[in-house]
Amino acid sequence: MLKTHAKQAYQNTIKYRHSHRPFEIPITFFSLLIYFLVNFMTLLRFPTVHSDELWLKGIAGAAMRAQNLWVTEPFFDLYPRVPHPFRWLYVGLQSLYLRCFGDTVFAMRLLSLTFGMLSIIAFAYFLKQLKLPYQLPTLALMFNISFIYALHFGRQETMILFFMIVALGSTLTGATLWPALIVFLSIGVHPNSFLIAGAVSALMVWQIVNQKRSIRQLFYFAGILTLLFLCIVAVGSLAVPGFFSAYLKYGADLGLNSAPTRRTELFFWFWQKLYLRTGGTYDLMHIKLWLIAGALLLLSPLMTRKFTEAHAILFGTLLALFLLGRNNQLAVLFVIPWIILGITQYIYRKPREIHIFIREKNRLQAGRQRLTAIILLGVLIWHCYANLSLYERERPYQVRYDQMVASLKNVLPVDAVVLGNLNAIEAVDETHFYDLRNLGYLDAANISLEDYIRDRNIQYLIIHDEMNYIRQTSPTWDFLYVNTHYFDALFQFIETETEPVHTFENPLYAMRIAAYSGTYPWQTTVYKIHNSFYEHTDQ
């Protein structure tokens, strides 16, 4: 009897809330517009431009020039690369944005911002599908620092998140074909989109256990997805024979076929690095509270005996991340919405019995909830601001990315052929740029450093201070340049065959190791190769 009255009171409360929101749609649209504009105007301010963004931009640029998706980056001619069909959708959208907004990293980040905004809308609709209050949880996502970081980062994460939320929303409706098609489409963004399949499968298992779906539908989903994946492999094999075996070998070289014990160690270290902020070249934010909340959410079924949709999705996502075996720090984005969902379900579903005490106090209850929403929103905004403020304080020395590019353009001829770090590529024609990491494979290609430079008619070298630091602290950071086996030969070549033509302070980009970036006036030096180096060759 008590539960019946509590349920009726709860329904009356919900009905009152939904009937007293005359300004909900305009406020929501206005808030999203302001949110978009603020992020749009600060796209290049935070975080520092990462070479991964320029790497992906280079792939799109090569595809546009060749009018063919089966290309690899021109700046990697020795560094192992495998053309594959697993990025066709992302490269296509990149190309569209680069054509419309310019061939710059800003266009890359604008693409991420676009799909981040779509993810916000999709998440709000997902919450409404579950008949949960959606405004505060959606704001929690919008002001999550990991989400904002992804919005401002020119990679695929926000696009994968969008497809993930849409696929899970489709799964909630009982559909089977549509989730499979969405996962298939997302594979055209990045192979890591298979984590969406893990989350969808976990949600389907939850539905089966709760008698909302038949087990046959799960096998139907797996079968459709397998057939679609085989189609991708078939098309790829027709375009580039043997691509799949080469791609698997490339993955093996990256450690994707690690033993279970090694995979477990890597998975643990991944989360430990996020918790302790001990990343490599990625700027890591303070997200300890979110990680603790996620851990408590995973353990909560042991105490509450309730296993909700959020638990299923979170477990499925984590298992998929574990099986994929290779994740960078941005992958935390894929668990944040489900932590928010789990907290929301805990608050709004667990204590329903208490609503019997407020049957006649709907107005008071609504007022309290609005006040709570304002307080929590204030805390979220403060937490976001505190992270951004700390980010600035930790980098007292700063030269913006566009300033670095301008400094390089002032000294480099338009048609200069350059060897340097990828973060300098926008200063020259990218078809005339070679990344230093190619030198890590000189021995494998049986080429000397001099022959490599001569064969490509390289005229300038761009050297960051970080190379000297890495040389002094070897082997800790060797992997940033593949290895340091060629460093002695390179610096000897610089000493005998070049002259410095420009040196400038570049605190953020001359040192890419996040813990040291912006903490010292690191410098970048441009060296011009002597004409005598080529004259001697001609003789």
Side-chain angles (χ1 to χ4, degrees), residues 108-379:
M108 295 283 296
R109 292 189 167 190
L110 184 58
L111 177 60
S112 294
L113 176 59
T114 301
F115 274 88
M117 298 303 299
L118 292 174
S119 297
I120 291 170
I121 297 170
F123 186 61
Y125 184 76
F126 184 87
L127 291 165
K128 293 184 74 173
Q129 283 183 281
L130 291 172
K131 295 181 172 56
L132 289 168
Y134 68 90
Q135 287 186 312
L136 181 59
T138 303
L139 288 171
L141 178 64
M142 292 168 63
F143 287 100
N144 177 270
I145 192 64
S146 296
F147 183 73
I148 294 174
Y149 188 101
L151 288 182
H152 289 233
F153 206 86
R155 279 177 49 113
Q156 299 101 323
E157 276 74 17
T158 58
M159 194 179 295
I160 295 174
L161 180 64
F162 171 72
F163 282 117
M164 185 182 198
I165 297 171
V166 173
L168 289 167
S170 178
T171 305
L172 285 178
T173 66
T176 302
L177 176 61
W178 279 110
L181 291 175
I182 293 168
V183 174
F184 166 72
L185 191 63
S186 68
I187 295 172
V189 176
H190 194 281
N192 278 6
S193 294
F194 276 111
L195 71 88
I196 301 176
V200 169
S201 299
L203 181 57
M204 285 186 176
V205 170
W206 182 89
Q207 290 175 321
I208 291 168
V209 171
N210 287 273
Q211 299 181 347
K212 296 183 178 182
R213 183 186 290 271
S214 69
I215 192 170
R216 183 173 58 185
Q217 289 177 296
L218 177 60
F219 288 110
Y220 183 43
F221 167 77
I224 294 173
L225 193 56
T226 301
L227 288 174
L228 292 173
F229 178 72
L230 291 176
C231 289
I232 295 179
V233 174
V235 171
S237 298
L238 288 173
V240 180
F243 100 90
F244 193 60
S245 58
Y247 192 75
L248 290 177
K249 182 181 181 302
Y250 177 67
D253 293 339
L254 294 176
L256 296 185
N257 61 347
S258 303
T261 52
R262 177 60 177 167
R263 193 180 294 266
T264 302
E265 289 176 357
L266 292 173
F267 191 67
F268 173 77
W269 289 342
F270 167 68
W271 294 105
Q272 183 186 52
K273 288 177 180 179
L274 287 173
Y275 187 83
L276 298 176
R277 299 181 69 220
T278 55
T281 59
Y282 290 95
D283 302 320
L284 297 185
M285 303 293 106
H286 281 283
I287 57 171
K288 286 183 179 180
L289 290 177
W290 287 98
L291 297 178
I292 292 171
L296 292 175
L297 181 63
L298 289 172
L299 296 174
S300 64
L302 299 177
M303 298 174 286
T304 64
R305 304 298 179 186
K306 290 187 177 181
F307 193 87
T308 65
E309 297 94 334
H311 294 105
I313 296 170
L314 192 56
F315 273 105
T317 303
L318 291 173
L319 179 60
L321 289 172
F322 172 78
L323 293 175
L324 285 171
R326 180 177 171 82
N327 300 292
N328 65 35
Q329 288 85 341
L330 294 181
V332 71
L333 176 69
F334 304 127
V335 303
I336 293 295
W338 318 122
I339 294 174
I340 295 172
L341 174 63
I343 294 171
T344 304
Q345 288 185 316
Y346 180 81
I347 292 173
Y348 285 94
R349 287 189 173 185
K350 183 176 182 295
R352 288 188 177 184
E353 289 78 3
I354 66 171
H355 287 280
I356 190 171
F357 301 110
I358 56 169
R359 275 181 293 178
E360 305 301 329
K361 300 180 181 179
N362 287 331
R363 291 181 182 272
L364 180 60
Q365 176 68 7
R368 287 175 177 174
Q369 292 210 341
R370 289 192 187 97
L371 179 61
T372 301
I374 292 171
I375 293 172
L376 290 178
L377 178 59
V379 171

Side-chain angles (χ1 to χ4, degrees), residues 406-417:
S407 294
L408 292 171
K409 283 185 174 181
N410 286 337
V411 68
L412 293 171
V414 176
D415 59 348
V417 181

Side-chain angles (χ1 to χ4, degrees), residues 82-122:
V82 179
H84 61 79
F86 299 130
R87 265 197 301 253
W88 65 269
L89 179 58
Y90 186 65
V91 171
L93 288 171
Q94 274 183 295
S95 301
L96 176 64
Y97 269 65
L98 292 176
R99 286 184 186 277
C100 293
F101 303 104
D103 188 12
T104 65
V105 72
F106 178 84
M108 295 283 296
R109 292 189 167 190
L110 184 58
L111 177 60
S112 294
L113 176 59
T114 301
F115 274 88
M117 298 303 299
L118 292 174
S119 297
I120 291 170
I121 297 170

